[in-house]
Amino acid sequence: MVRLETRPPNIEGKGEVTQRDLVKNSLRMRPDRIIVGEVRGGEVLDMFQAMNTGHDGSLSTVHANSPRDALMRLETLVALTGLNIPGTFIKKYISSALNVILHLSEWWMAVESCQPSGDYRHGRDIITMQEIFSFEQNRPR
């Protein structure tokens, strides 16, 4: 296991190490798995590249209110990389990279898990999700 950490630029504006740099460099180390604490920017695209090129079991977190919102957030983060990637391609890439989306509550309790897959028939370009598990709390009346 190798732990890598980001670093802000020094007072002269040099020496910054971004999360995207760390994901790219970790791929050069030929890891079995890559675990990223939270994706918030362009590193999401590099994470998907890792997941789509044989780094099965890789893991990352993203903040969202539901699994569907997590997918929208991931699409938005890829779009914010500045690369002109068509939306259909982004959705195919995401659905190919992700095996499971696990939604945790604010108390780190599993609330829902879903398996994303793409539906690209007849010009549809949506990511469908099959619910695997859902926790519903019955409140006393």
Side-chain angles (χ1 to χ4, degrees):
M1 182 179 109
V2 176
R3 181 181 171 142
L4 305 173
E5 293 187 20
T6 61
R7 182 177 60 206
N10 63 16
I11 201 135
E12 298 160 352
K14 298 180 181 179
E16 179 181 25
V17 178
T18 66
Q19 197 164 357
R20 191 161 190 189
D21 294 332
L22 295 177
V23 173
K24 286 180 184 178
N25 285 325
S26 69
L27 289 170
R28 293 185 181 107
M29 297 178 195
R30 298 176 47 189
D32 293 327
R33 288 175 182 75
I34 298 174
I35 299 173
V36 175
E38 178 189 357
V39 289
R40 289 180 253 173
E43 67 274 0
V44 71
L45 184 59
D46 300 308
M47 204 55 205
F48 287 145
Q49 287 178 327
M51 290 175 175
N52 279 324
T53 57
H55 295 88
D56 295 334
S58 294
L59 174 74
S60 184
T61 63
V62 63
H63 288 241
N65 293 323
S66 69
R68 177 62 57 194
D69 288 347
L71 287 175
M72 287 190 301
R73 181 157 163 78
L74 292 171
E75 287 180 54
T76 303
L77 290 173
V78 171
L80 290 175
T81 60
L83 303 172
N84 290 327
I85 303 172
T88 304
F89 180 77
I90 293 172
K91 290 177 181 172
K92 287 180 181 179
Y93 211 57
I94 291 172
S95 65
S96 175
L98 300 180
N99 294 325
V100 174
I101 297 174
L102 181 62
H103 180 214
L104 302 176
S105 72
E106 57 190 88
W107 298 284
W108 291 90
M109 182 176 73
V111 176
E112 185 177 4
S113 66
C114 299
Q115 183 177 17
S117 62
D119 185 3
Y120 306 107
R121 297 169 287 155
H122 310 294
R124 294 178 62 178
D125 61 341
I126 61 170
I127 299 176
T128 58
M129 296 206 303
Q130 175 68 43
E131 185 176 87
I132 299 170
F133 165 81
S134 179
F135 175 79
E136 293 186 24
Q137 184 176 3
N138 293 327
R139 299 191 186 267
R141 294 180 187 218

